Amino acid sequence: MNLYEAIFSRKSVRNYEMEPVSNGLLQDIRDFYSQIEGLNPGIRTDISIMDNTTGKNKMMHLFGVKAPYYLVFYSEEKDLAQMNAGYIMEQLALFLCTKGLGTCFLGNAKPKFGNPHKGSLKFMITMAFGKSKGGYTRKAVDARRMDLKDLCVYKEVPRQWMKQLLEAARLAPSSMNSQPWRFVVYDNRIHVFAKKHNMNHLGRYEELNFGIMFSHLMVVAEELWLDVDLIRLEDITHKNFPNNQYVLSAILRT
């Protein structure tokens, strides 16, 4: 299984065997993280891996999901830092899936042990991981997601590679399974919108959700050998949409 295949089979796991994994695999995780290029490479980030294999650390139980390991993500506070965090962390979740391990994002699970970066980087998100009790994968058809016909407005007939991008985006996990994204689809580009709420900006977890979804788009683009850029188009940014907020566009380079 590779990252592309993991998109269509990964599921969130909340029950784990409290078994250790090899030090080599823990180093593989760190090495894989170091190779990920974020949405904004100018944002400094870091991860730490917390060992809970003994299950005796009561502070870790406050995370809500008892797991043998927790991966904690830290970042500079910059524009779209949460989106960048989701983008990187989802690729780590997919990587762990390829290694036979289950994962689960923990929304409010902030470590109680202090930030090792002493203020230079801010805590962003925690992810539980380890060997799952039961399955760590599922069939794509079993994922509880909205149909593409409810998520997309098609301005042109999509080609097969576009359908694959959209299907991967559709399967992206989101907090409370909110699936906040909507897509306006052309032959060579996808304009991505967020369902508009009372606020005029993306909330913390909604921004992270979009980072997760964009990671799916770019993993598929790499698998299909497509040159896709994620950019913000000013001519769309300045338009007023009554029900949706423009986020970014995924544009195929020709």
Side-chain angles (χ1 to χ4, degrees):
M1 183 190 300
N2 60 19
L3 297 188
Y4 171 78
E5 293 164 332
I7 285 175
F8 301 93
S9 60
R10 176 192 170 267
K11 70 174 183 178
S12 293
V13 172
R14 291 176 174 80
N15 295 298
Y16 294 88
E17 305 285 355
M18 300 303 288
E19 298 178 2
V21 301
S22 70
N23 289 332
L25 179 51
L26 295 177
Q27 187 58 48
D28 287 345
I29 295 169
R30 297 184 181 97
D31 291 343
F32 180 78
Y33 158 75
S34 68
Q35 296 166 13
I36 299 173
E37 184 174 327
L39 279 173
N40 183 349
I43 299 177
R44 285 197 305 117
T45 66
D46 197 10
I47 61 170
S48 63
I49 297 175
M50 297 183 174
D51 188 331
N52 186 43
T53 50
T54 64
K56 295 180 180 180
N57 195 319
K58 294 182 180 179
M59 296 301 289
M60 288 187 178
H61 297 173
L62 297 177
F63 287 174
V65 173
K66 185 179 179 181
Y69 298 96
Y70 299 97
L71 195 157
V72 186
F73 189 88
Y74 300 93
S75 172
E76 284 185 293
E77 290 190 82
K78 287 187 175 181
D79 187 38
L80 299 182
Q82 285 286 346
M83 191 177 293
N84 189 60
Y87 184 83
I88 294 173
M89 284 290 275
E90 178 64 5
Q91 291 182 63
L92 284 163
L94 296 174
F95 176 76
L96 287 163
C97 184
T98 71
K99 299 299 182 181
L101 298 177
T103 57
C104 181
F105 285 99
L106 306 175
N108 295 312
K110 185 175 182 178
K112 304 295 183 181
F113 317 111
N115 186 333
H117 297 283
K118 299 179 180 180
S120 62
L121 300 180
K122 181 183 176 182
F123 164 78
M124 289 286 166
I125 190 72
T126 301
M127 182 170 66
F129 74 93
K131 183 180 178 181
S132 63
K133 288 183 178 179
Y136 64 98
T137 61
R138 50 100 179 104
K139 295 179 180 178
V141 295
D142 294 330
R144 294 183 294 110
R145 301 288 191 272
M146 295 173 65
D147 291 333
L148 281 177
K149 62 181 177 61
D150 299 316
L151 296 173
C152 300
V153 174
Y154 295 100
K155 297 295 187 179
E156 296 172 330
V157 177
R159 287 181 277 179
Q160 183 58 37
W161 61 265
M162 179 67 79
K163 292 178 182 178
Q164 289 174 261
L165 287 173
L166 292 168
E167 179 62 14
R170 184 185 77 86
L171 289 172
S174 55
S175 55
M176 306 301 291
N177 201 24
S178 57
Q179 302 167 76
W181 31 75
R182 297 295 182 267
F183 308 108
V184 178
V185 182
Y186 290 84
D187 178 65
N188 67 340
R189 61 197 185 279
I190 305 169
H191 301 312
V192 181
F193 292 82
K195 292 164 56 180
K196 188 175 285 187
H197 304 291
N198 293 329
M199 64 187 91
N200 60 3
H201 62 278
L202 295 179
R204 173 186 172 189
Y205 292 118
E206 193 164 34
E207 184 178 311
L208 189 133
N209 289 336
F210 274 87
I212 291 172
M213 184 273 292
F214 285 129
S215 75
H216 279 206
L217 283 179
M218 298 308 283
V219 166
V220 174
E222 182 174 353
E223 177 74 14
L224 300 180
W225 292 66
L226 300 172
D227 288 325
V228 173
D229 292 322
L230 294 175
I231 59 177
R232 191 170 176 85
L233 300 175
E234 291 304 316
D235 58 335
I236 299 180
T237 301
H238 295 140
K239 291 182 179 179
N240 182 40
F241 300 94
N243 300 315
N244 298 287
Q245 175 189 347
Y246 174 63
V247 181
L248 288 175
S249 295
I251 300 178
L252 177 68
R253 252 184 284 157
T254 56

